[in-house]
Amino acid sequence: MDSPGLGTASRARSRSSLTALALAASALIALVAVAPAAPATATTHPAAARTAPPPSPTAPHTGVVIGARTPARTPGREHAARTFLAGRRAVSGPAWTHHPRLPGVRPTAAAPRAGQVTHNWWGVFPQPGTHDGIMATHTVDPSYTVTDADNVTYAPTTKAQNSCMEVVTAYTNTGNEIWAWDWCGTVGPARTVPIDDAFLKNYTPGNGGPAAYSVQMVRDDNAANRWSAYLYNYRTAAWDLLFRQSGTDQSGLDHGWDMFEIYASVDPATGEGYYCTEAQRTSFDSSAVRLRRNGAWKPAGPSDSPWTDTAPDPNAFLCPPLKFIQAGADDHWTVHQ
């Protein structure tokens, strides 16, 4: 959901144009701008993560997500949630701005940790008025282990325009979970699901390929702005309810997104973000991104879901080996080393 403890830089995005801003604030600076994306051409990628055809958006909607719970207020999760919320609020306004650190700056013992965190993202932004539902298939990697509390990876993460929730693949130092982030009520993680054996058994195809789950968010009451989020249960061939909420979207943003997002600090041993080493073998992939409008589902495309940046700089993500693959136009992306 637009995405967490950085109060040192502001981040915003214009509806009509995405502009480059340079803001220095306590060791956070915005260097990479979200520019209007030209139509992307498909890029061949040999490690596309889709392991099965995407589920039908009109499959039965029955049951409740197994293992979903109201999260306990543990210090680790609370820290990650505060980071997430601060980052989301920092980007609300007329333009979106990335927050990479200054080139060549390395953390020092005297520097505050908060000033060493980089917040950055890449993906597609479904535009206002183009949809009242979104779905996608997102990879998960149970083996990805985050060691530092200030480093969190929310990828993939997705939200529809004005939806009451964002569904996040959340990698934090307290464990790997799927979050339903409530944007219309508590403004925090309202449901969490551990990425454990039970989750993999029920919500991924389990056919030997990279693990991936499918998420769907739909507005089912226009007057109340009521939204429902579902995960597809491959065992029952039906969509299970994860979270339902109504009200006013408090994200401050008038578009949706499906994207790769990081909060990262520099590992002094490598000069790169901690996640660059920890996620070295992880592929972050979102495929079959579809939008619903007037009851019909169709693949996200250049006219309704522009890329945040057609040529992102991996250095701005504190991970020079990172590759950003436009694997579809604009319904499939992959980020990997």
Side-chain angles (χ1 to χ4, degrees):
M1 286 162 216
D2 256 281
S3 321
L6 315 176
T8 56
S10 73
R11 169 182 189 183
R13 169 187 158 268
S14 168
R15 181 173 177 173
S16 60
S17 66
L18 303 172
T19 58
L21 303 175
L23 302 174
S26 185
L28 286 180
I29 185 167
L31 297 177
V32 181
V34 175
T41 55
T43 302
T44 301
H45 184 257
R50 187 182 300 170
T51 60
S56 168
T58 59
H61 290 68
T62 60
V64 177
V65 170
I66 299 165
R69 65 196 71 170
T70 300
R73 298 177 65 89
T74 63
R77 186 183 287 112
E78 289 292 297
H79 181 90
R82 285 194 302 270
T83 302
F84 186 91
L85 180 59
R88 289 295 185 236
R89 286 179 171 167
V91 301
S92 62
W96 276 54
T97 305
H98 294 268
H99 303 308
R101 65 186 175 93
L102 285 164
V105 173
R106 288 179 175 270
T108 66
R113 289 191 64 81
Q116 299 168 14
V117 178
T118 286
H119 180 197
N120 216 336
W121 61 89
W122 179 78
V124 294
F125 282 176
Q127 294 297 290
T130 63
H131 63 290
D132 62 2
I134 191 170
M135 62 180 287
T137 297
H138 291 166
T139 54
V140 291
D141 182 0
S143 68
Y144 175 20
T145 301
V146 175
T147 58
D148 185 272
D150 287 336
N151 287 260
V152 288
T153 302
Y154 297 110
T157 181
T158 194
K159 183 183 183 297
Q161 176 204 5
N162 293 335
S163 65
C164 279
M165 71 282 296
E166 179 176 354
V167 176
V168 190
T169 313
Y171 298 100
T172 75
N173 76 325
T174 61
N176 303 334
E177 297 176 318
I178 306 301
W179 286 5
W181 180 280
D182 181 0
W183 276 117
C184 292
T186 59
V187 187
R191 295 289 185 276
T192 59
V193 186
I195 301 174
D196 55 15
D197 289 344
F199 175 84
L200 297 174
K201 175 183 177 182
N202 289 288
Y203 297 103
T204 69
N207 59 359
Y213 70 97
S214 292
V215 56
Q216 181 186 94
M217 275 173 273
V218 291
R219 186 170 63 204
D220 43 37
D221 185 324
N222 291 345
N225 194 41
R226 189 182 74 178
W227 289 78
S228 299
Y230 300 90
L231 302 184
Y232 187 74
N233 189 323
Y234 284 88
R235 307 288 79 76
T236 63
W239 293 96
D240 287 352
L241 180 66
L242 173 62
F243 181 59
R244 178 172 286 142
Q245 181 63 288
S246 60
T248 301
D249 175 18
Q250 300 177 53
S251 70
L253 298 161
D254 64 356
H255 55 81
W257 53 84
D258 188 90
M259 63 186 186
F260 168 81
E261 179 179 22
I262 56 101
Y263 291 82
S265 61
V266 174
D267 179 356
T270 64
E272 300 171 352
Y274 283 95
Y275 84 97
C276 193
T277 300
E278 295 168 350
Q280 191 171 24
R281 294 178 176 82
T282 300
S283 180
F284 303 95
D285 184 279
S286 177
S287 63
V289 182
R290 297 184 186 182
L291 304 181
R292 189 186 76 171
R293 187 177 188 184
N294 298 326
W297 290 91
K298 69 179 186 66
S303 65
D304 52 44
S305 303
W307 298 98
T308 61
D309 191 341
T310 54
D313 178 7
N315 293 294
F317 289 76
L318 306 187
C319 190
L322 215 56
K323 296 178 177 61
F324 300 84
I325 310 298
Q326 298 174 21
D330 297 11
D331 64 341
H332 187 179
W333 57 261
T334 303
V335 177
H336 72 110
Q337 296 185 47

